[in-house]
Amino acid sequence: MPFAASQGVAYAALPTAESDIFTQQIVPSDARTELVRQFFHKYSSPLEPYAQNIIEAADTYHLDFRLLPAIAMQESNLCAKAPAGSYNCWGYGIYDGKVTKFENYQQAIDKVTKTLANDYKTQGLETPTDIVRKYTPSDTGKWVNSVSYFLNQLQ
């Protein structure tokens, strides 16, 4: 039944002048951080809270941001198989029964990134194919293939 003009219609929620104004704050964010965080989350890595630290370290030392996560995945399944209490997810300084330990993940991220920059990149060793010769010289191709695979997953 249609409303008659005499019935009057009341609107319960008329917009006010203030509600017509929408404000939105756009916060710049680095998509690389979210990409790394999601990668860590997918594999339930304790490194997830350190995604931003990895990006910052990579930027500081001018490295590919994907390199640390890819090496960590190959060396320890993103810390799942790291030596207990070592915070060493990168197989850094682990050989012949020796285990390099760090006080925390942040220290490990800083040290491994700095080493890759100063001891590898400065010698022209930037890709998995180049890095493997010094990082794990006994590799038969598995390391390069795995690290390359995970680099590609992080694109």
Side-chain angles (χ1 to χ4, degrees), residues 5 19 23 26 31 45 53 62 78 81 85 100 122 127 143 145:
S19 68
T23 59
I26 299 173
S45 174
N53 302 102
H62 309 289
L78 293 174
K81 297 180 181 178
T100 299
T122 58
T127 68
W143 193 92
N145 290 338

Side-chain angles (χ1 to χ4, degrees), residues 32-154:
R32 299 174 303 163
T33 300
E34 184 59 17
L35 187 64
V36 171
R37 190 201 64 74
Q38 287 178 12
F39 181 73
F40 291 156
H41 180 78
K42 178 180 178 179
Y43 296 102
S44 302
S45 174
L47 291 173
E48 185 176 350
Y50 298 93
Q52 180 64 40
N53 302 102
I54 286 176
I55 299 303
E56 290 169 359
D59 287 350
T60 296
Y61 294 105
H62 309 289
L63 292 177
D64 184 337
F65 76 95
R66 304 169 304 151
L67 192 56
L68 244 60
I71 291 173
M73 181 57 125
Q74 166 56 29
E75 291 292 333
S76 69
N77 287 3
L78 293 174
C79 306
K81 297 180 181 178
S86 72
Y87 298 97
N88 189 343
C89 307
W90 296 272
Y92 177 87
I94 298 177
Y95 57 91
D96 297 332
K98 178 185 175 195
V99 175
T100 299
K101 293 184 178 185
F102 300 101
E103 292 181 23
N104 52 49
Y105 290 122
Q106 182 61 55
Q107 182 188 40
I109 290 165
D110 291 340
K111 178 64 175 176
V112 174
T113 305
K114 184 177 182 178
T115 300
L116 286 169
N118 293 339
D119 297 352
Y120 289 75
K121 185 177 179 179
T122 58
Q123 295 178 16
L125 309 175
E126 295 186 59
T127 68
T129 303
D130 300 330
I131 292 168
V132 72
R133 289 182 253 146
K134 185 172 182 177
Y135 202 86
T136 179
S138 63
D139 179 66
T140 60
K142 180 183 174 195
W143 193 92
V144 171
N145 290 338
S146 293
V147 172
S148 296
Y149 174 79
F150 294 117
L151 281 172
N152 289 332
Q153 274 197 350
L154 286 159

